[in-house]
Amino acid sequence: MPTVRRRMLGAELRKIREKLRLTVDEVSARLSWHQSKVSRLENGRYGVRANEVGMLLDVYQVTDPETREALATLAREGKRRVWWQPYSDVITQHYASFISFEAEAVSIRNFESSLVPGLLQTADYARALIRQLESEATPEEVNALVDVRLARQNATLRREDPLKLWAIVDEAALRRLIGSQTIMAKQLQQLIAASREPHVTLQVVPFSAGAHAGVHGSFATLEFPVRGDLDVVYTEALTSSLYLERDNDVAAYDRAFDRLRAAALDVAPSRRLIAQIAKELE
């Protein structure tokens, strides 16, 4: 799965090529590259080297030093070591891809139908959940996955310029007992505390809302510094995950999220409902 920087680099190179009215085949022929290489590069699926970017820019007759250096930097950074590299033996490629997108995002709109959003989970809730879902994992692997969950929170919500998180949670996720009543009560109190952070908006869709736009499942829309074609929707199934990047798909999920916002309780009533459920667990 491409990193955000690779996608940004590919998008910029595609714009330059299209402005010159050159086809992918023409560029490939001039550089004696395989036909698919330019396409994969523009789609962010090929980790191009800085010198290869320079070769492309020579073909495109781009001489501005600032432009050349900016694009070369994107190529170099697309290959840099990432904080989750030490956990590569316990996280799947799908998970690593999502983390790479999440780490670069400036905002996330997340709907969760069954569980507390990962960025708002306590360590105890995450551990109990991972133990149930990853039944074959060793205690060491469970601890490593919990560490990854907490590191994700630090890398997004607690960085200098924190990610803006708008989370909408179905009431079912708040009432589903994960671990124990004590663990759930502390998790719900954590949600209330998180909802008071200026960069976090939390709403709950109550059971009384009936059928709603999220009945088909959870999803997250990630927005990046360069708006437009870079926004991506992430959905997850039992054995795979799906990234939707086409404008029509992203727009459809944006509309679904807007309908969920309308169906959900406002922030203050959402806090009161969470507090009520927590009290029931005491």
Side-chain angles (χ1 to χ4, degrees):
M1 192 66 197
T3 65
V4 175
R5 283 179 171 83
R6 285 186 189 176
R7 293 172 72 226
M8 290 174 66
L9 174 61
E12 289 302 316
L13 291 172
R14 183 176 64 251
K15 287 177 186 175
I16 295 171
R17 176 182 61 77
E18 290 176 344
K19 189 174 180 179
L20 295 173
R21 299 178 184 249
L22 290 172
T23 67
V24 168
D25 289 346
E26 287 171 338
V27 175
S28 299
R30 292 188 190 186
L31 291 169
S32 300
W33 286 357
H34 190 278
Q35 279 182 310
S36 67
K37 183 170 179 176
V38 175
S39 295
R40 289 168 58 214
L41 190 160
E42 292 183 352
N43 290 330
R45 305 194 178 264
Y46 175 78
V48 67
R49 295 188 295 271
N51 69 306
E52 291 177 310
V53 171
M55 294 166 64
L56 271 170
L57 295 179
D58 288 342
V59 169
Y60 299 155
Q61 298 182 357
V62 175
T63 57
D64 176 58
E66 289 188 7
T67 300
R68 293 180 69 96
E69 179 55 30
L71 296 179
T73 298
L74 281 176
R76 287 190 290 267
E77 291 184 346
K79 291 175 170 289
R80 81 182 194 280
R81 183 179 174 84
V82 290
W83 66 258
W84 56 90
Q85 195 75 34
Y87 301 101
S88 57
D89 56 337
V90 294
I91 62 176
T92 65
Q93 184 57 49
H94 292 304
Y95 194 16
S97 296
F98 179 75
I99 292 173
S100 73
F101 280 138
E102 183 181 71
E104 299 288 344
V106 293
S107 73
I108 293 179
R109 298 182 295 280
N110 183 199
F111 168 70
E112 289 293 340
S113 61
S114 303
L115 299 170
V116 169
L119 290 180
L120 300 178
Q121 292 177 7
T122 64
D124 287 341
Y125 180 98
R127 182 171 288 104
L129 178 62
I130 291 166
R131 281 174 177 162
Q132 287 182 276
L133 298 181
E134 306 289 342
S135 57
E136 296 181 3
T138 66
E140 293 76 17
E141 290 171 334
V142 170
N143 288 336
L145 289 170
V146 173
D147 288 344
V148 172
R149 189 70 49 93
L150 300 180
R152 281 175 53 204
Q153 297 174 9
N154 288 330
T156 53
L157 299 179
R158 299 185 186 97
R159 67 195 187 197
E160 185 176 346
D161 182 20
L163 172 143
K164 291 181 174 59
L165 173 65
W166 193 317
I168 301 178
V169 183
D170 194 285
E171 184 177 344
L174 308 178
R175 294 191 178 277
R176 177 167 286 103
L177 190 67
I178 301 296
S180 68
Q181 288 184 260
T182 299
I183 287 173
M184 280 304 303
K186 289 182 178 178
Q187 174 62 79
L188 296 178
Q189 292 298 335
Q190 164 63 17
L191 284 180
I192 293 172
S195 73
R196 299 186 188 281
E197 295 290 337
H199 52 283
V200 176
T201 301
L202 178 63
Q203 291 181 268
V204 177
V205 181
F207 286 148
S208 59
H212 54 69
V215 293
H216 296 297
S218 305
F219 64 90
T221 301
L222 296 91
E223 180 186 322
F224 302 98
V226 180
R227 293 210 49 155
D229 2 343
L230 288 182
D231 288 4
V232 63
V233 174
Y234 173 82
T235 64
E236 194 173 45
L238 180 63
T239 59
S240 64
S241 55
L242 181 64
Y243 293 88
L244 303 171
E245 305 176 60
R246 293 187 307 179
D247 290 345
N248 289 345
D249 291 329
V250 175
Y253 277 89
D254 283 345
R255 290 192 296 272
F257 196 81
D258 286 341
R259 294 197 298 275
L260 283 164
R261 287 193 301 176
L265 299 172
D266 288 336
V267 172
S270 291
R271 282 197 201 110
R272 288 196 291 271
L273 177 57
I274 296 170
Q276 174 192 321
I277 298 172
K279 189 173 181 180
E280 293 171 6
L281 293 168
E282 294 175 357

